[in-house]
Amino acid sequence: MYIDFATWLPDEDPHQPGVLVDVQGMVPTRRAMRAENDLLASEMMVRLPDVPAGAHLHESAYGSHLFVATATKMYRADIGVGTQAWDDVTGPAQSGANAFGQSWKFATLGDDLIAASIASPIKVFGSTAFVAAAPSNIIAQALTTSNQFALVANYQEGAGTYLADGWRCSQLGSPGSWTLSAATQSVAGRLRDSPGPIVGLKGFAGDVYAFKSASMYRGVYQGPPLVWSWQLISSAVGAFSQECVVEADNVLYWWAYSGCWMFDGSRPVRVP
């Protein structure tokens, strides 16, 4: 049931349905509230030509930029410079990504911006456009960075086996280089102590956390030859997806089928 908003009436009974007694920076609509000064109206003005399938606010030595992926394009806009069009920074052709299960994931390593999708190969943003990673045929469902590595999971290389429980890391300090080599510490493995695909990765406090729908793992950098060592943290708590895992005040928070959970580095705890 929806309750129609009446209007802003600061002197009325706050328990009266539809009455708003305290509103700041928000505008009521019939379904919910929206920001009084939203990004589209105040900053961009120019609409994207297609439905977004992922976005990332990238802070680097070159300024603040908003990157947005659609099914076939990558766009970039400068933040805080007023009305402007979106710059096409697609680079290598991409296709297939959408907002329903095939969204683009973004991660940063220094000033480098890495993008991955289960529908198109990994890309890294150069000075003016994205460039293909090497090899240029790795697709992945999850992405993060840690300890000077980029890591992906739930991935496939070319026509090779699709590894839903697999993970892979780039070369040390080179997020665009993924050729497996012990010398460069670009390695791969699988997380098989619990069933199901890896649905998300998150770098946190120097380690990497991998989530399945009903389990989670901690990856610790060990150096060569193993490079990464993985430990099953929970066989009962997982996450919906990578997008629902966030960090705030040095704590991880995420949504699972059993509710909202938090993790400070010791053990996962359900949020009351």
Side-chain angles (χ1 to χ4, degrees):
M1 180 183 70
Y2 294 107
I3 298 176
D4 289 338
F5 289 117
T7 185
W8 178 57
L9 298 172
D11 298 324
E12 293 293 325
D13 180 1
H15 298 96
Q16 182 179 340
V19 168
L20 302 174
V21 298
D22 186 8
V23 176
Q24 182 175 3
M26 300 295 291
V27 176
T29 69
R30 293 186 67 86
R31 291 182 62 88
M33 306 285 285
R34 69 171 177 84
E36 182 178 17
N37 297 306
D38 59 44
L39 183 63
L40 179 63
S42 64
E43 295 287 348
M44 300 307 174
M45 298 301 292
V46 179
R47 292 183 178 273
L48 286 168
D50 201 355
V51 178
H56 179 80
L57 178 59
H58 184 47
E59 304 278 355
S60 72
Y62 309 105
S64 301
H65 301 88
L66 180 63
F67 288 81
V68 179
T70 67
T72 59
K73 296 288 186 180
M74 288 282 187
Y75 294 97
R76 181 187 68 169
D78 293 335
I79 298 299
V81 298
T83 304
Q84 64 170 13
W86 293 90
D87 295 326
D88 184 345
V89 294
T90 304
Q94 64 189 55
S95 62
N98 57 57
F100 304 100
Q102 296 182 339
S103 62
W104 281 89
K105 313 300 192 296
F106 296 90
T108 58
L109 185 60
D111 287 333
D112 292 326
L113 176 64
I114 309 105
S117 168
I118 199 62
S120 291
I122 299 170
K123 299 180 178 185
V124 180
F125 185 73
S127 58
T128 58
F130 280 92
V131 296
S136 60
N137 59 354
I138 300 174
I139 59 175
Q141 182 71 37
L143 167 70
T144 194
T145 57
S146 180
N147 288 281
Q148 294 299 304
F149 291 94
L151 297 93
V152 295
N154 197 336
Y155 77 97
Q156 181 178 22
E157 180 181 355
T161 302
Y162 177 67
L163 300 174
D165 59 5
W167 61 271
R168 182 166 176 164
C169 70
S170 70
Q171 296 180 8
L172 176 66
S174 182
S177 301
W178 296 79
T179 301
L180 296 177
S181 168
T184 62
Q185 302 188 55
S186 179
V187 297
R190 301 176 71 177
L191 303 181
R192 305 183 68 182
D193 287 338
S194 62
I198 299 170
V199 299
L201 290 175
K202 184 68 174 179
F204 173 67
D207 297 328
V208 174
Y209 291 84
F211 293 85
K212 296 186 177 184
S213 62
S215 60
M216 63 179 292
Y217 296 76
R218 183 191 346 238
V220 179
Y221 175 65
Q222 299 286 313
L226 186 61
V227 186
W228 291 94
S229 174
W230 294 88
Q231 175 190 5
L232 179 65
I233 298 297
S234 174
S235 58
V237 177
F240 284 133
S241 66
Q242 175 159 317
E243 287 82 0
C244 75
V245 183
V246 298
E247 178 184 351
D249 297 327
N250 298 315
V251 177
L252 284 184
Y253 296 90
W254 69 92
W255 280 101
Y257 288 98
S258 54
C260 184
W261 290 76
M262 60 184 292
F263 180 79
D264 62 2
S266 56
R267 62 186 180 91
V269 177
R270 187 171 179 176
V271 177

